[in-house]
Each structure stands twice: as structure tokens, then as C-alpha cells.
């Protein structure tokens, strides 16, 4: 049997006007012969089909909305844009006939009433034929959505002789759908712009010849030439040359980064200065940019809790509105002897004002806009649920190494204890550490390289690793040791304690009975860590805690300096997990911020796991709920502000959508609700929630 994954096809969809239409399209495709399942991502305007069917069949399932499909890929398909007059010709014709209908009586034309009615009827048919097509089908299937409501209302208006208002309802409903589609397109634009960042072609060397090759045809192992001022088309490693590269497309950080031989570069980034020869390491669908776009589009398809609530609410809301409209139409005439025509008209107005367009669009427009905004700032949020939870956080737990600190140890102090020259000491220490696998060894070699010292010429024999203590080896005819003070018979403990009190890791170098130097190494604190912790406290965060495997003195020194409220040191990964669970019991919602692997259990258990992504780090992209692509902690207060603004806007949108309709419905009591008021209430609510959602595009990173 063929697996579901093997039958997967993904298409981009053009022509969505509303979330309800997207849901109907999904349902239609699910019922096609050979289709196992289908999922529409309204936020990303995509459909994924599982099963054996054709693109034409899927497109036919969207014919009710005039949907068009294009193959999904990293390159945006360039299509001829339809001119406005051709795309909306049915609306323009409808407007033309409405104007004729209203002008005939003013011109004193004979039989103007009949001709006006005929013009209104023509306007209704030309402007609303797609609406009626879907509405009638829904009625036959007893499916009640916004199009069903509008179809009943317009036909009812014509039935009781309100042809003019019926025509206006058709026109305004069509306009509101166009505006809704436009607002969702604006919300999606941030992702579409990402798709256009990487160039479609690149200059490649193959078989000794230079040639221009489409990005889709570039293979792993190809050599790419990138001139100054050109964008890099594919991920790769620099073989020759050096330059400053603007990585804003990946990290959101516009300050160029220096790149030299051996460094990785990413598709969509800009080579600002030098000529680069780059070895391609990934195909187009596997580049970091492609992964970012895929993750963001998947995130936009994930329903946030508030969106799930709205969807359930709308499911019951529409039938309830139909019942209310029916009761408004029949109770006053039956029980109080009121005029049937007047109250049927009121009932039809209730149907129009009850249309759930604004309610259905209220959440997705905010979620899609916010996730897109975050992506442009180098932050990947993997779903609406995490976006919402960010705004409700009460506590934030930080890993130390690589998160609050740079994760790169550096030599900070060296105290000579004997008569050996400083240069000779560094040469011997670096030569010993060159044979070590310890993480701190890099600090010694970097120091020697900064001093332009040829430490590799210093030969080391009989190298030994003393587990948990240090290393040793023969240099000349003496065995030298470097490591903890326990390797030595006597050490000046006062100097060592002073350095440890400053949060530094201290090592001693010398022979077994004669210490020659004390060296202190520290992982430098990020310049922004204290600023970020302070911002979080000012934003009302109840708890900030540092969880680290480092020893107590180092942790206490760093934690106190940056201002976290609590410090937990000497922790194993499972102990970090335990503390995160304890904080969740105390504070409810807790974020864990770490750099990937040893923090994975705590990241997974927290309400929101945030990874210091680093440009293109696969682990961070795949394991965390949120990834900070340029390792900049200052993005944290920004995304919390973005999340809080999103939550506020969603609440405002739901309140607008329901509140405006309730106010309009109150006009039923004195019998003052008209189809004009109803459609303006519905259209006004839709406009308000879409424009309010788009305000999230204006939220910037304040740094």
C-alpha cells in the first residue's frame, strides 16, 4: 500500500477571499476520488493534498471561488496580473446597472419603476452569481455559512420587493470580500518577500567552465562565484576570498558579518565587498532560507487557541443567527398582528448583520501578520499557540553558557609564579592544550595565535589526560602539567580563590612540585544580557532564573552581574528539567531559553522553548518552539511585546466583531434595522478587524 507521505502534493492557492471559503475548499478536496486527506493553510494560501488526484481536479473543487493553483516551490511563479477592470468586471457591471436603476426615476423615464427593478435584478445576478452558486449548493446540503445567509437575505429582499437594497447588499458584500482578501495578502506579504530574497540564478563553475545556472538546477558540490554587491543564491562554505556579508534575511540583523575561508554563507544574504568562491552544501529546497519559509508557513497554518475558539463559536453562531432571524420574521406578525412585509424585512436584515465574516477573520489576520513580522526580524515562531503563550509568560529560565554568555571561553588573567619568560610559558601551555579535547583548550590556542606564536613547533611527548584534573606531557626532559591545583604539591590558594570569586575558571601550569603560572579563563557575558533581564523586569516578568551546570561561584558572579532574580548552579540536564517543572507549578507559564542540545529536555517541558538559533543551526530550527536566528537576546523583549500586542488585538477584534453586530441587532426592537445598516455593520466590522490586525506590521524591534 502506498504511504500517505508518498502521495503528498502541495499547491499555492490564489483567489481566497475568506477563511470560510478556504474551509469549504478543503472539504471539497477531501471528498475527491482518490484523496485520503487535504489540509488548507489559509494563512500561507496553500493546500496539501494526500492521495492520488490531479491538479485539475483540485482546481475544479475550488471553482465556486474561482481559485487558481500553482506548483509549490521556492520560486514564486510570475504570473501576469489581471487588470483591475477584468478581474472585477462583474462588480463593475453590477455598479453600472445599480446607477442606471437609481437614475431612471430622476430622468422621468416612462415605466421607470419596472425598468429600475429590472436593472436592480440584473445587478444582483451579475454581481452575485458566484455567491448564489455557492449559497444554493449549501442550502441543498443544509450547510449554513456566510454565503448561505447572504443568499437567503438577498433572495428574500427581492421577494418582498426590496430590489434596490438587495442589489446594494450584493455589491457591498463583494467589496467586503475583496477588502478581506487584500488584507490577508498584505499579512502574507512578509513571507512572499522572503521567497523573493534569493536570486533565481547563480554563476557556477562546472568542468572548468563558468555558466549561469537556475537555482533549482544547482547541485551540492557545485562551486559558485559571487561578486561584490550580489546576493548569494545557495547555502555553502567559502573556498576562496573574504568579505562582509549582510545576513538580515536570515538573522534580521542588518549589520554585515565578516566572512573568511571556511565560513558558512546562506542563500538570500548579500555579499557587500569581496569576490567569493563558494562550495554549495545544500540544494535549494534544503537551504536555511527554505527551512525558514517552510516553518513560518507551517506556523501560520497552526491554529492558535483563540482561533480554535472562534472556529467552534462560529460553527454554532451561524445556525443560531438563522433561528433568531426566523423568529424575528414570524413572531411579531403571528403574536402581535404586525405587518408581515416589515418583519420579514427585519428578519432578512438580521441574517445580513449576523454574517460571521468579521468574526472568522478576526484571529487569523492577526496571527499571520505577527508571525510574518517576527520572521522578518530573524525570529521563527512555530505556531499561533506559542505566539499567544509568549504574551502570558510569568517566568523566564535561562541557560548560562551560549545564552547569557557568548559560549566561547577566553583567557582573562595570567600570573607568573617563577622565572620562566611569559612567551615561553604561553608556548608550552598552548602546545600541551593543542593535544587536548577539553573545551577550554581553544582559549589557550587562540591566545597563542593572537600573540603570533608558533606553538606547534614546541614538541610534546608522552601526552596524558588526567580525568577530572587536567593534562600533562614531556617537553624537553621535564613533565609539565596544566589543570586543577590538585595536580600540584603546593599552590598559592589566595590568588586562586580571588580569581574564582570573580566567576573565572582557574588552572595551574608547571611541574609536579613547582607551579610556574596561574591562568584564569572565563566565558564572556554577552553585552546585552543585563539589558535584557532589566527589560523583562520592567515589563512585569515575575521571575527570571539562571540554570547552569557551572560551579556555584562562577554562576553566582555572572548571575549577580546581569541581575537575574534566582541562580541554580551545578545542574545536570535532568535537574534543569526538574526546576522548569517546579517553576511551572509555581508560576503557570514558563519560557526556557537555551542553545539546543543539553537544554533539550527543559526546552521541551517548558510552556515555550526558545533556542538561540545561530544562523542556520538545524538543531534549533527543529527542536525549539521559537528560534532567535542571530543569537541576539534583545529579540526576547520584542517578541513578548509583539505577542502581548497580538493578544490585545485579537481580543479587540472579537469584541468589535460581536459588539457591532449586537448594536445593530438592538435596532430590531424598535423595528429600525434595515438591510443598509445591516450590510454596513457587517462590512464595517470586517474592515475594522482587518485593519486592526494589520497594525501588527508596525511593531518594530526597539533596539
Amino acid at each position: 500500500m502506498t504511504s500517505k507521505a508518498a502521495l503528498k502534493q502541495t499547491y499555492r492557492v490564489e483567489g481566497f477571499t475568506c477563511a470560510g471559503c478556504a474551509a469549504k475548499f478543503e472539504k471539497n478536496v477531501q471528498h475527491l476520488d482518490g484523496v485520503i486527506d487535504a489540509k488548507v493553510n489559509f494563512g500561507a494560501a496553500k493546500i496539501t493534498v494526500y492521495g492520488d488526484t490531479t491538479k485539475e481536479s483540485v482546481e475544479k473543487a475550488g471553482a465556486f471561488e474561482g481559485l487558481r493553483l500553482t506548483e509549490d516551490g521556492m520560486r514564486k511563479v510570475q504570473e501576469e496580473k489581471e487588470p483591475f477592470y477584468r478581474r472585477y468586471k462583474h462588480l463593475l457591471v453590477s455598479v453600472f446597472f445599480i446607477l442606471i436603476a437609481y437614475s431612471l426615476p430622476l430622468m422621468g423615464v416612462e415605466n421607470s419603476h419596472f425598468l429600475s427593478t429590472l436593472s436592480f435584478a440584473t445587478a444582483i445576478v451579475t454581481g452575485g452569481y458566484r455567491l448564489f452558486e455557492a449559497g444554493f449548493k449549501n442550502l441543498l446540503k443544509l450547510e449554513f455559512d456566510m454565503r448561505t445567509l447572504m443568499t437567503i437575505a438577498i433572495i428574500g429582499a427581492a421577494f418582498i420587493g426590496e430590489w434596490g437594497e438587495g442589489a446594494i447588499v450584493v455589491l457591498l458584500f463583494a467589496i467586503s470580500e475583496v477588502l478581506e482578501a487584500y488584507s490577508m495578502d498584505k499579512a502574507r506579504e512578509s513571507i512572499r518577500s522572503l521567497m523573493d530574497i534569493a536570486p533565481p540564478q547563480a554563476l557556477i563553475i562546472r568542468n572548468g567552465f563558468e555558466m549561469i545556472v537556475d537555482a533549482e538546477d544547482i547541485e551540492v558540490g557545485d562551486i559558485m562565484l559571487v561578486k561584490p554587491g550580489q546576493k548569494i543564491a545557495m547555502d555553502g562554505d567559502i573556498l576562496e576570498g573574504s568579505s562582509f556579508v549582510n545576513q538580515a534575511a536570515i538573522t534580521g540583523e542588518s549589520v554585515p558579518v565578516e566572512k573568511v575561508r571556511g565560513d558558512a554563507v546562506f542563500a538570500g544574504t548579500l555579499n557587500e565587498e569581496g569576490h567569493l568562491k563558494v562550495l554549495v552544501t545544500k540544494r535549494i529546497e534544503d537551504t536555511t532560507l527554505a527551512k525558514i519559509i517552510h516553518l513560518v508557513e507551517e506556523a501560520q497554518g497552526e491554529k492558535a487557541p483563540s482561533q480554535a475558539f472562534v472556529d467552534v463559536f462560529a460553527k454554532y453562531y451561524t445556525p443560531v443567527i438563522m433561528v433568531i432571524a426566523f423568529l424575528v420574521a414570524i413572531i411579531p406578525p403571528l403574536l402581535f398582528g404586525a405587518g408581515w412585509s416589515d418583519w420579514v424585512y427585519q428578519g432578512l436584515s438580521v441574517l445580513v448583520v449576523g454574517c460571521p465574516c468579521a468574526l472568522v477573520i478576526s484571529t487569523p489576520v492577526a496571527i499571520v501578520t505577527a508571525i510574518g513580522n517576527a520572521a522578518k526580524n530573524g525570529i521563527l515562531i512555530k505556531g499561533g499557540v506559542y505566539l499567544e503563550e509568549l504574551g502570558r509568560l510569568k517566568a523566564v529560565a535561562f541557560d548560562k553558557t551560549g545564552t547569557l554568555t557568548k559560549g566561547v571561553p577566553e583567557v582573562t588573567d595570567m600570573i607568573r609564579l617563577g622565572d620562566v619568560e611569559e612567551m615561553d610559558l604561553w608556548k608550552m601551555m598552548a602546545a600541551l592544550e593543542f593535544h587536548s579535547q577539553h573545551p577550554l583548550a581553544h582559549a589557550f590556542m587562540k591566545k597563542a595565535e593572537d600573540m603570533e606564536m608558533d606553538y606547534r613547533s614546541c614538541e610534546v611527548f608522552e601526552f596524558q589526560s588526567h580525568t577530572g584534573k587536567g593534562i600533562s606531557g614531556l617537553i624537553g626532559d621535564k613533565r609539565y602539567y596544566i589543570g586543577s591545583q590538585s595536580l600540584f604539591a603546593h599552590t598559592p590558594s589566595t590568588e586562586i580563590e580571588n580569581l574564582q570569586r570573580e566567576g573565572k575558571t582557574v588552572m595551574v601550569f608547571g611541574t609536579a612540585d613547582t607551579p610556574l603560572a596561574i591562568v584564569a579563563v572565563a566565558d564572556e557575558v554577552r553585552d546585552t544580557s543585563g539589558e535584557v533581564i532589566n527589560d523583562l523586569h520592567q515589563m512585569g516578568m515575575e521571575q527570571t532564573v539562571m540554570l547552569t551546570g557551572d560551579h556555584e561561584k562562577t554562576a553566582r558572579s555572572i548571575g549577580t552581574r546581569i541581575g537575574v532574580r534566582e541562580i541554580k548552579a551545578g545542574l545536570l540536564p535532568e535537574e534543569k528539567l526538574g526546576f522548569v517543572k517546579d517553576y511551572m507549578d509555581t508560576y503557570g507559564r514558563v519560557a526556557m531559553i537555551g542553545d539546543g542540545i543539553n537544554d533539550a529536555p527543559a526546552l521541551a517541558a517548558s510552556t515555550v522553548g526558545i533556542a538561540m538559533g545561530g544562523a542556520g543551526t538545524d538543531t534549533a530550527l527543529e527542536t525549539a518552539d521559537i528560534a532567535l536566528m542571530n543569537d541576539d537576546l534583545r529579540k526576547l523583549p520584542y517578541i513578548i511585546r509583539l505577542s502581548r500586542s497580538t493578544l490585545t488585538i485579537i481580543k479587540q477584534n472579537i469584541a468589535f466583531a460581536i459588539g457591532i453586530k449586537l448594536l445593530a441587532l438592538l435596532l430590531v426592537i424598535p423595528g429600525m434595522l434595515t438591510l443598509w445598516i445591516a450590510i454596513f455593520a457587517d462590512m464595517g466590522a470586517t474592515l475594522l478587524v482587518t485593519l486592526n490586525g494589520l497594525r501588527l506590521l508596525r511593531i518594530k524591534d526597539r533596539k
Side-chain angles (χ1 to χ4, degrees):
M1 184 177 173
T2 312
S3 69
K4 183 175 175 176
L7 298 168
K8 180 179 173 182
Q9 303 166 71
T10 305
Y11 304 102
R12 296 197 175 270
V13 185
E14 292 186 13
F16 277 145
T17 55
C18 64
C21 310
K24 182 175 174 61
F25 177 47
E26 179 179 274
K27 200 170 183 181
N28 287 352
V29 176
Q30 286 170 345
H31 286 98
L32 290 175
D33 290 339
V35 172
I36 299 168
D37 195 10
K39 296 290 178 190
V40 167
N41 182 335
F42 179 58
K46 290 170 72 172
I47 183 169
T48 303
V49 183
Y50 301 95
D52 187 13
T53 190
T54 63
K55 176 185 169 186
E56 290 71 25
S57 298
V58 176
E59 205 162 56
K60 194 174 178 181
F64 71 95
E65 182 75 352
L67 300 179
R68 299 173 301 283
L69 302 184
T70 54
E71 298 290 337
D72 185 35
M74 271 303 296
R75 296 289 164 225
K76 200 162 115 180
V77 178
Q78 296 297 322
E79 290 193 348
E80 285 185 32
K81 255 196 163 177
E82 269 189 295
F84 179 86
Y85 71 88
R86 189 180 298 166
R87 189 173 182 185
Y88 299 112
K89 57 183 179 290
H90 59 293
L91 289 186
L92 296 173
V93 170
S94 185
V95 170
F96 175 71
F97 279 105
I98 288 171
L99 292 174
I100 287 177
Y102 278 115
S103 62
L104 287 173
L106 299 174
M107 294 164 63
V109 175
E110 195 176 342
N111 293 324
S112 62
H113 179 72
F114 171 75
L115 292 173
S116 291
T117 302
L118 190 62
S119 290
F120 282 132
T122 307
I124 288 172
V125 172
T126 54
Y129 69 91
R130 277 189 187 166
L131 167 66
F132 299 141
E133 185 180 14
F136 281 126
K137 284 181 181 175
N138 290 347
L139 271 174
L140 292 173
K141 296 176 186 175
L142 296 179
E143 293 176 359
F144 301 108
D145 64 4
M146 60 191 78
R147 299 196 164 206
T148 315
L149 297 186
M150 299 304 288
T151 300
I152 294 170
I154 293 160
I155 291 171
F159 185 74
I160 62 172
E162 298 292 344
W163 291 94
E165 294 196 25
I168 294 296
V169 168
V170 167
L171 180 64
L172 293 180
F173 180 72
I175 291 171
S176 69
E177 283 200 325
V178 170
L179 291 171
E180 189 178 324
Y182 172 76
S183 66
M184 284 304 296
D185 277 344
K186 286 293 288 180
R188 296 180 187 118
E189 199 56 47
S190 52
I191 304 308
R192 290 181 180 171
S193 63
L194 281 178
M195 292 179 69
D196 290 335
I197 284 170
Q201 295 179 319
L203 182 61
I204 297 293
I205 300 176
R206 277 187 189 165
N207 303 320
F209 295 98
E210 293 183 8
M211 60 184 76
I212 300 289
V213 178
D214 288 341
E216 288 88 345
D217 299 324
I218 297 173
E219 299 290 341
V220 173
D222 279 340
I223 295 172
M224 182 169 56
L225 298 177
V226 189
K227 297 175 183 177
Q230 287 186 337
K231 283 188 174 180
I232 297 167
M234 307 291 286
D235 284 13
D237 296 329
I238 296 176
L239 289 177
E240 289 181 20
S242 62
S243 183
F244 282 88
V245 177
N246 187 325
Q247 299 190 141
I250 303 297
T251 66
E253 184 60 68
S254 58
V255 177
V257 178
E258 187 176 11
K259 297 282 185 176
V260 297
R261 182 177 176 181
D263 285 347
V265 291
F266 308 100
T269 57
L270 177 66
N271 175 28
E272 295 203 339
E273 291 183 5
H275 283 78
L276 298 178
K277 188 179 282 188
V278 177
L279 176 68
V280 175
T281 56
K282 293 179 182 176
R283 281 189 50 78
I284 188 169
E285 62 270 18
D286 300 320
T287 63
T288 301
L289 181 63
K291 285 184 179 178
I292 291 171
I293 292 169
H294 173 71
L295 288 169
V296 173
E297 289 188 333
E298 289 296 305
Q300 291 179 333
E302 292 288 326
K303 288 187 177 176
S306 55
Q307 187 175 345
F309 160 75
V310 166
D311 288 348
V312 173
F313 183 80
K315 182 180 176 182
Y316 297 102
Y317 167 86
T318 307
V320 167
I321 283 292
M322 291 195 71
V323 171
I324 292 172
F326 179 71
L327 294 176
V328 166
I330 66 165
I331 286 177
L334 286 177
L335 299 184
F336 305 107
W340 279 98
S341 179
D342 291 341
W343 285 96
V344 167
Y345 178 81
Q346 291 288 302
L348 295 173
S349 300
V350 169
L351 281 182
V352 174
V353 82
C355 181
C357 295
L359 189 62
V360 172
I361 199 72
S362 61
T363 304
V365 71
I367 295 292
V368 169
T369 304
I371 288 175
N373 187 351
K376 291 190 81 170
N377 281 281
I379 303 157
L380 293 184
I381 302 175
K382 289 192 179 178
V385 60
Y386 309 117
L387 178 67
E388 288 196 12
E389 293 290 10
L390 270 171
R392 300 188 178 108
L393 291 176
K394 300 295 181 187
V396 181
F398 295 89
D399 170 50
K400 178 182 76 72
T401 307
T403 302
L404 293 170
T405 66
K406 294 176 182 176
V408 180
E410 294 180 358
V411 175
T412 57
D413 302 87
M414 200 269 270
I415 302 170
R416 288 171 60 214
L417 301 175
D419 298 328
V420 181
E421 290 293 324
E422 184 175 338
M423 293 291 285
D424 292 333
L425 287 172
W426 280 118
K427 190 170 187 176
M428 288 190 287
M429 287 190 291
L432 268 176
E433 291 289 1
F434 178 67
H435 292 79
S436 171
Q437 298 297 315
H438 195 276
L440 295 179
H442 178 74
F444 285 87
M445 290 182 283
K446 184 176 182 298
K447 181 73 174 178
E449 285 165 5
D450 290 344
M451 297 170 74
E452 298 182 350
M453 185 183 299
D454 182 18
Y455 61 87
R456 297 190 191 193
S457 63
C458 179
E459 294 187 353
V460 176
F461 300 96
E462 296 182 23
F463 176 84
Q464 277 186 285
S465 175
H466 305 274
T467 305
K469 293 183 178 181
I471 56 175
S472 69
L474 287 176
I475 300 176
D477 58 354
K478 290 184 180 179
R479 177 165 289 276
Y480 290 90
Y481 296 80
I482 184 167
S484 71
Q485 61 191 99
S486 61
L487 287 169
F488 302 87
H490 306 286
T491 52
S493 56
T494 304
E495 285 91 338
I496 292 173
E497 286 174 8
N498 288 340
L499 290 168
Q500 285 179 336
R501 205 171 290 118
E502 294 174 16
K504 297 171 182 176
T505 300
V506 181
M507 287 171 283
V508 182
F509 172 74
T511 60
D513 54 359
T514 311
L516 298 173
I518 296 172
V519 182
V521 177
D523 182 3
E524 291 293 301
V525 176
R526 291 181 188 269
D527 298 335
T528 57
S529 294
E531 173 192 337
V532 169
I533 299 297
N534 185 51
D535 281 353
L536 291 177
H537 292 161
Q538 288 185 352
M539 292 169 74
M541 199 62 64
E542 293 179 20
Q543 179 65 295
T544 52
V545 59
M546 183 173 75
L547 306 177
T548 179
D550 213 336
H551 58 74
E552 182 74 28
K553 286 182 180 177
T554 301
R556 189 70 51 192
S557 169
I558 291 173
T560 303
R561 197 188 325 168
I562 63 175
V564 290
R565 288 179 175 155
E566 202 167 347
I567 299 158
K568 302 291 182 185
L571 304 180
L572 296 171
E574 57 267 29
E575 291 172 319
K576 288 186 180 183
L577 171 63
F579 275 111
V580 166
K581 288 181 176 177
D582 290 344
Y583 286 118
M584 289 175 74
D585 290 338
T586 306
Y587 297 99
R589 290 179 171 88
V590 178
M592 173 69 194
I593 305 174
D595 56 353
I597 299 169
N598 66 325
D599 301 312
L603 285 168
S606 61
T607 312
V608 181
I610 303 174
M612 302 293 282
T617 305
D618 288 345
T619 305
L621 293 180
E622 289 162 14
T623 59
D625 305 319
I626 294 171
L628 307 181
M629 293 302 292
N630 67 343
D631 284 358
D632 188 350
L633 268 182
R634 288 175 297 177
K635 301 286 186 183
L636 183 59
Y638 156 69
I639 54 172
I640 291 175
R641 281 198 308 274
L642 179 66
S643 171
R644 290 178 178 179
S645 297
T646 304
L647 285 171
T648 300
I649 281 175
I650 287 171
K651 288 172 186 173
Q652 288 172 350
N653 281 354
I654 293 171
F656 286 154
I658 296 174
I660 289 175
K661 292 178 186 298
L662 286 176
L663 286 173
L665 288 173
L666 288 175
L667 295 175
V668 171
I669 298 169
M672 293 169 58
L673 182 61
T674 67
L675 282 172
W676 283 83
I677 294 173
I679 192 64
F680 273 115
D682 176 60
M683 188 174 160
T686 304
L687 267 175
L688 270 175
V689 301
T690 52
L691 293 174
N692 197 37
L694 291 176
R695 285 199 301 127
L696 290 166
L697 289 171
R698 297 166 55 193
I699 294 177
K700 305 293 182 189
D701 186 356
R702 288 181 191 165
K703 71 171 188 178

